[in-house]
Amino acid sequence: MVDPLGIAAGAVLTAVVVALHYSSGTGWEPNEDIAQEVLEKRAESVPETEFAEPMNRSIGGGGVPAGAVEAGSEGELAEGEETEEEEGFDPDAIPEDEVEVYEIEFAKEGETIEIANNENILDIGEDEGWDLPYACREGSCLSCAGHIEDGAADEYIRHSNNDTLNDEEMDNGYCLTCTAYPTADFTLETGEQP
């Protein structure tokens, strides 16, 4: 037989224990977040260098392209010697009276458009509404690469920056559309990488 007095006493006792537990709290507090402090200490332990960070060219990196450094080269130019690629090309420096327009055929898009020698090929293609590939927009990866069917890229474009393509790839007609400016009429296949 069930004793109603025992059940009532058990219920009251349980209620008292629960009330005491919640009124005093557990005393547990979360630990302080030290993630930023750990990152700063790790950064302090790494020595500073003047080397560029290594990157993977296929995912937006830079670094030196394969074959770009000749065996035995000292890495220094003779006094007064400079190259155009190292200096870069500034399309904004072209005077208005020297701006020339070229017909560029976009093979995959099936259209030919006019692009001035101070206009970026990728930007003008996007202005046409085409979804052209790109990533860094700085000439440091291969995402925007295209292939000039008519010959060596140097004969048809100038790069404002090219940290990725080596001379052989340029000779084979490859260019970086994000930093390429036309210097002649040509046919371009977008989305083509060496």
Side-chain angles (χ1 to χ4, degrees):
M1 183 149 170
V2 178
D3 183 17
L5 184 61
I7 292 178
V12 168
L13 184 58
T14 301
V16 168
V17 169
V18 168
L20 286 174
H21 174 74
Y22 283 110
S23 67
S24 65
T26 61
W28 179 84
E29 291 183 21
N31 293 335
E32 179 184 349
D33 182 15
I34 61 167
Q36 187 62 36
E37 185 179 324
V38 169
L39 288 175
E40 289 171 3
K41 284 187 179 183
R42 285 184 180 171
E44 289 173 6
S45 68
V46 176
E48 289 293 324
T49 66
E50 293 185 18
F51 296 115
E53 281 200 34
M55 296 184 191
N56 182 328
R57 352 186 292 170
S58 66
I59 56 170
V64 176
V69 177
E70 296 178 21
S73 71
E74 294 295 320
E76 293 183 14
L77 298 172
E79 191 172 318
E81 181 183 353
E82 292 180 359
T83 65
E84 187 174 307
E85 284 299 319
E86 290 174 338
E87 281 182 21
F89 158 68
D90 183 10
D92 297 329
I94 298 175
E96 285 295 318
D97 59 340
E98 293 182 20
V99 171
E100 297 180 28
V101 177
Y102 302 100
E103 289 189 356
I104 311 302
E105 178 186 351
F106 285 75
K108 291 182 180 177
E109 288 73 18
E111 289 189 43
T112 299
I113 61 173
E114 291 184 342
I115 303 178
N117 61 346
N118 65 350
E119 294 177 320
N120 173 298
I121 293 174
L122 175 63
D123 290 343
I124 301 303
E126 287 181 327
D127 289 348
E128 292 292 317
W130 301 327
D131 186 21
L132 302 176
Y134 70 89
C136 72
R137 288 188 177 271
E138 296 178 359
S140 297
C141 74
L142 284 173
S143 299
C144 70
H147 183 253
I148 297 173
E149 298 176 355
D150 304 317
D154 295 16
E155 298 175 17
Y156 299 96
I157 58 103
R158 290 175 76 183
H159 283 116
S160 60
N161 186 36
N162 175 12
D163 291 335
T164 307
L165 296 175
N166 62 33
D167 290 339
E168 182 181 351
E169 293 165 338
M170 295 276 293
D171 289 343
N172 290 330
Y174 291 98
C175 69
L176 304 174
T177 61
C178 71
T179 60
Y181 296 81
T183 58
D185 299 338
F186 62 90
T187 300
L188 176 70
E189 278 193 75
T190 56
E192 296 293 319
Q193 299 179 357

